[in-house]
Amino acid sequence: MNPKKASQSSTIALNRRARHDYFIEQSLEAGLVLQGWEVKSLRDGRAQLSESYVVLKNGEAWLLGCHITPLSTVSTQHTRPDPTRTRKLLLNERELSKLAGSIMRKGYTLIALKMYWKKNRVKLEIGLARGKQEHDKRTSLKEKDWQREKQRLERYSR
């Protein structure tokens, strides 16, 4: 195996706030329709998912709020790079209808969790999420701290 490829991570961008602000009920993998300059920027790791979400319109899924910063070397003669343009997601009809039925329930939304490479294709992990309230967030933090403390105690007891 090529050591250069082994050291590189396949993750492009990660939405860390998503698991803090939402309960993730289900996750799906979707492809992205991208332009050439976007792929070059993603190879350089210039993507941000922090404010991104997914909407369903006319039987299609669209990614909004994802920011891909264009490289300075992108030719501006033929294309005008729009960093926050709406990007189409590639899902089959069965997945789309399942998601549409799920978000009809009160309090559910679709958010982008992670963008990564899979066999030289850009994939997006989207999650069916329900918003957390303030007390839920505090409970999650306490649980996370307890798990960390438990691991620390196990390490020292050996």
Side-chain angles (χ1 to χ4, degrees), residues 15-76:
N15 189 352
R16 294 175 187 226
R17 293 286 302 173
R19 299 207 187 268
H20 178 71
D21 292 341
Y22 299 97
F23 291 113
I24 308 299
E25 303 286 327
Q26 177 185 6
S27 63
L28 254 85
E29 180 182 80
L32 275 163
V33 177
L34 298 171
Q35 294 177 350
W37 69 269
E38 292 172 323
V39 176
K40 289 180 181 181
S41 293
L42 291 177
R43 288 198 190 281
D44 200 31
R46 296 175 177 245
Q48 184 177 4
L49 290 176
S50 61
E51 298 292 324
S52 60
Y53 60 97
V54 177
V55 295
L56 300 177
K57 284 191 276 187
N58 302 329
E60 295 178 334
W62 299 89
L63 176 65
L64 285 91
C66 175
H67 190 278
I68 299 177
T69 307
L71 294 171
S72 60
T73 59
V74 172
S75 172
T76 56

Side-chain angles (χ1 to χ4, degrees), residues 87-101:
R87 295 167 180 90
K88 186 176 179 180
L89 296 179
L90 303 172
L91 294 165
N92 62 38
E93 287 185 36
R94 183 172 24 104
E95 292 170 331
L96 283 170
S97 62
K98 187 176 179 182
L99 288 175

